[in-house]
């Protein structure tokens, strides 16, 4: 949840009848879900007559489409991630792939998005996007090249132009959303989400981009089998992030893409044109890992941090816990948490310089389905608060608001009608919400990818204990390093951990 001079972007008014739909939609990764990193060193000399991308693209109508949507995309993902080392890696790998593109004259703008989400997508005109969360998952340069070449395949195949035919329907849907969400910020965010959905391609287009991408990968001198290898890493990460891996598909970023076995077989089949696996192409693991050493991992200080079941925001000076079994998803506009049996939580805040009554605030009309007789004034860890219940369609809601200084913080908890999970879930939130102590604020530091060298006697279990920010240390360690359960470590081997 982002802090903008003390005013949270969550100050939009969200009607509780829309809560569950908003929560469900927000955990679906938009666009072309890929996962990658970057860092290839092509032997390309600087041009004696350099041209900037905007000059090259100024008469390209496709680039104008991308330019129009670019600011919305960047804003919805928390801005750009600025790191010179990472940006150089991305630019170098893109340059190597451009040289073997089906359209070498196509120029590209690569933007690294400051988001822990795992995502990559393309817009018409050569606008490519990767998140820093995606960069943290890849283990070598060829895996990054696999995803970038796939996205470039969408651009060269003009899939974005074909997708434009769906825009009219999206515009209508966005207008409806902006009317339902009463604040101007809400309308803008709804429009941005609509544009992100337009970044999704059909299954046939995804398969076509896979074919183009593997060819580019091999012809650029990379390990052509990286595409299949990275698809497996993406699937493993999706399973790790699911609250219930057996039933919960909403968190699977591959759900809007062709099924993994189909894509894996296709990627391997086309990779065989470049030789047997392990015998051709460069992986670039060493320089890639060196290139992402220190990459910000997880949440940024402006959005607060998730540490297991706890959300902490040093700049706002607040913290709270969610029940065991819940997964916290820290979005720019709100903190969302999903748990077993379709239980969901939304946390955000609104500015309140007038010091209005919290019971009157709950009753002021922003909660559809409110049961007025349930409104109660209370205190939570010494802070003024109020609670209420609401009911809409298939859902029961607990509404809890808490005043701290000039902010009103809001918890909305949703459960299926009649569920017994509402009370214990809401009680956990209330009991754990409090101010952070100065020592807690001072000790709160961002996490980053750190590259370590395996020493004699090290095991996966011993190295995983050095992981921070998760209570599933071994699982995340294995996923980040693409290590099977039976993997044996070799002294001198380079691996990733998450640490301060």
């Amino acid at each position: 949840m982002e802090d903008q001079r003390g005013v949270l972007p969550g100050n939009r008014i969200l009607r509780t009848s829309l809560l569950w739909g908003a929560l469900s939609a927000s955990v679906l990764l938009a666009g072309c879900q890929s996962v990658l990193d970057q860092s290839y060193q092509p032997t390309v000399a600087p041009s004696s007559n350099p041209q900037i991308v905007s000059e090259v693209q100024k008469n390209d109508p496709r680039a104008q489409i991308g330019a129009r949507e670019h600011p919305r995309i960047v804003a919805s993902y928390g801005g750009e991630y600025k790191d010179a080392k990472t940006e150089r890696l991305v630019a170098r790998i893109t340059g190597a792939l451009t040289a073997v593109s089906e359209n070498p004259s196509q120029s590209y703008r690569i933007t690294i998005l400051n988001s822990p989400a795992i995502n990559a997508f393309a817009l018409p005109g050569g606008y490519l996007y990767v998140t820093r969360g995606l960069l943290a998952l890849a283990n070598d340069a060829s895996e990054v090249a696999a995803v970038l070449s796939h996205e470039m395949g969408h651009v060269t195949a003009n899939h974005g132009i074909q997708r434009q035919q769906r825009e009219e329907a999206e515009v209508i849907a966005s207008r409806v959303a902006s009317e339902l969400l009463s604040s101007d910020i809400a309308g803008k965010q709804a429009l941005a989400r609509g544009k992100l959905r337009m970044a999704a391609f059909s299954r046939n287009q995804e398969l076509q981009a896979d074919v183009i991408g593997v060819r580019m990968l091999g012809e650029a001198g990379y390990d052509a089998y990286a595409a299949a290898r990275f698809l497996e890493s993406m699937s493993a990460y999706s399973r790790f992030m699911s609250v219930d891996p057996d039933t919960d598909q909403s968190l699977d970023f591959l759900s809007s893409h062709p099924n993994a076995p189909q894509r894996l077989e296709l990627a391997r089949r086309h990779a065989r044109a470049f030789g047997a696996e392990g015998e051709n192409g460069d992986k670039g693991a060493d320089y890639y890992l060196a290139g992402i050493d220190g990459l910000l991992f997880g949440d940024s200080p402006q959005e607060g941090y998730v540490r297991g079941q706890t959300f902490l925001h040093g700049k706002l000076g607040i913290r709270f816990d969610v029940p065991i079994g819940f997964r916290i998803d820290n979005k720019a506009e709100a903190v969302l948490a999903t748990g077993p049996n379709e239980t969901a939580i939304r946390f955000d805040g609104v500015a309140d310089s007038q010091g209005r009554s919290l019971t009157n605030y709950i009753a002021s009309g922003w909660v559809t389905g409110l049961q007025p007789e349930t409104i109660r004034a209370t205190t939570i860890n010494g802070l003024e608060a109020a609670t209420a219940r609401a009911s809409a369609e298939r859902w029961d809601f607990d509404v809890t608001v808490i005043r701290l200084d000039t902010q009103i913080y809001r918890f909305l908890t949703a459960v299926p009608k009649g569920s017994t999970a509402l009370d214990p879930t809401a009680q956990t939130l209330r009991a754990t919400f409090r101010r952070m102590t100065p020592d807690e604020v001072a000790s709160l530091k961002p996490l980053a990818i750190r590259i370590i060298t395996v020493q004699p006697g090290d095991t996966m279990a011993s190295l995983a204990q050095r992981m921070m920010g998760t209570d599933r240390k071994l699982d995340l360690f294995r996923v980040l390093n693409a290590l099977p359960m039976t993997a044996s470590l070799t002294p001198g081997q380079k691996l990733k951990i998450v640490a301060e």
Side-chain angles (χ1 to χ4, degrees), residues 51 112 171 202 316-317 328 416 420 443 489-490:
Q51 298 185 63
I112 304 171
V171 168
S202 73
L316 298 177
I328 301 176
T420 58
S443 65
L489 305 185
T490 304

Side-chain angles (χ1 to χ4, degrees), residues 278-300:
E279 296 182 4
N280 290 280
D282 176 42
K283 288 186 177 179
D286 288 342
Y287 66 80
Y288 176 71
L289 292 176
I292 64 166
D293 192 11
L295 178 74
L296 181 64
F297 183 86
D299 302 310
S300 65

Side-chain angles (χ1 to χ4, degrees), residues 247-269:
T247 62
D248 185 359
Q249 298 302 311
S250 66
L251 303 179
D252 181 1
F253 52 78
L254 297 175
S255 62
S256 63
H257 284 62
N259 64 77
Q262 182 184 8
R263 296 185 77 186
L264 280 167
E265 175 53 34
L266 182 71
R268 289 195 178 102
R269 177 154 49 90

Side-chain angles (χ1 to χ4, degrees), residues 63-223:
Q64 292 169 13
I65 294 170
R68 186 174 65 243
E69 309 308 335
H70 175 75
R72 297 188 181 109
I73 297 293
V74 171
S76 66
Y77 271 88
E80 296 185 33
Y81 179 67
K82 296 291 188 180
D83 178 80
K85 181 171 63 173
T86 307
E87 291 174 84
R88 283 195 299 269
L89 294 177
V90 177
R92 286 165 178 165
I93 192 171
T94 306
L97 293 169
T98 301
V100 298
S101 169
E102 293 181 355
N103 181 12
S105 64
Q106 172 71 58
S107 55
Y108 293 91
R109 289 174 179 259
I110 303 291
T111 301
I112 304 171
L113 298 168
N114 188 21
S115 170
I118 309 297
N119 211 348
F121 50 92
L123 290 179
Y127 282 75
L128 303 181
Y129 302 87
V130 295
T131 61
R132 59 173 171 79
L134 179 151
L135 301 180
L137 187 60
N139 283 287
D140 60 53
S142 66
E143 292 181 354
V144 177
V147 181
L148 278 182
S149 62
H150 172 95
E151 301 305 333
M152 293 168 75
H154 282 307
V155 174
T156 58
N158 279 325
H159 289 162
I161 298 300
Q162 297 168 21
R163 186 185 56 218
Q164 285 299 109
Q165 297 172 359
R166 307 200 321 249
E167 182 167 12
E168 183 176 350
E170 275 296 342
V171 168
I172 294 172
S174 296
R175 285 174 183 165
V176 172
S178 62
E179 289 170 4
L180 288 172
L181 301 173
S182 61
S183 74
D184 184 54
I185 291 177
K188 290 178 180 177
Q189 290 174 338
L191 287 169
R193 285 194 301 272
K195 295 304 179 184
L196 285 174
R197 286 194 297 272
M198 286 183 59
F201 296 99
S202 73
R203 290 179 179 269
N204 285 338
Q205 288 174 329
E206 292 294 349
L207 292 172
Q208 185 182 2
D210 280 345
V211 173
I212 295 171
V214 171
R215 182 195 60 75
M216 291 175 63
L217 194 61
E219 291 186 1
Y222 290 110
D223 175 12

Side-chain angles (χ1 to χ4, degrees), residues 370-387:
L370 177 69
Q371 299 167 0
E373 70 279 7
T374 66
I375 300 176
R376 298 283 186 274
T378 186
T379 59
I380 293 175
N381 290 321
L383 301 171
E384 181 188 354
T387 65

Side-chain angles (χ1 to χ4, degrees), residues 43-58:
T43 54
V44 179
S47 169
S48 59
N49 183 29
Q51 298 185 63
I52 60 174
V53 174
S54 58
E55 182 67 22
V56 174
Q57 295 184 339
K58 67 180 181 180

Side-chain angles (χ1 to χ4, degrees), residues 402-421:
I402 308 166
R403 175 179 285 115
L404 195 159
D405 301 327
T406 59
Q407 290 281 328
I408 294 176
Y409 293 103
R410 311 186 297 189
F411 286 107
L412 299 178
T413 304
V415 300
K417 270 191 182 299
S419 171
T420 58

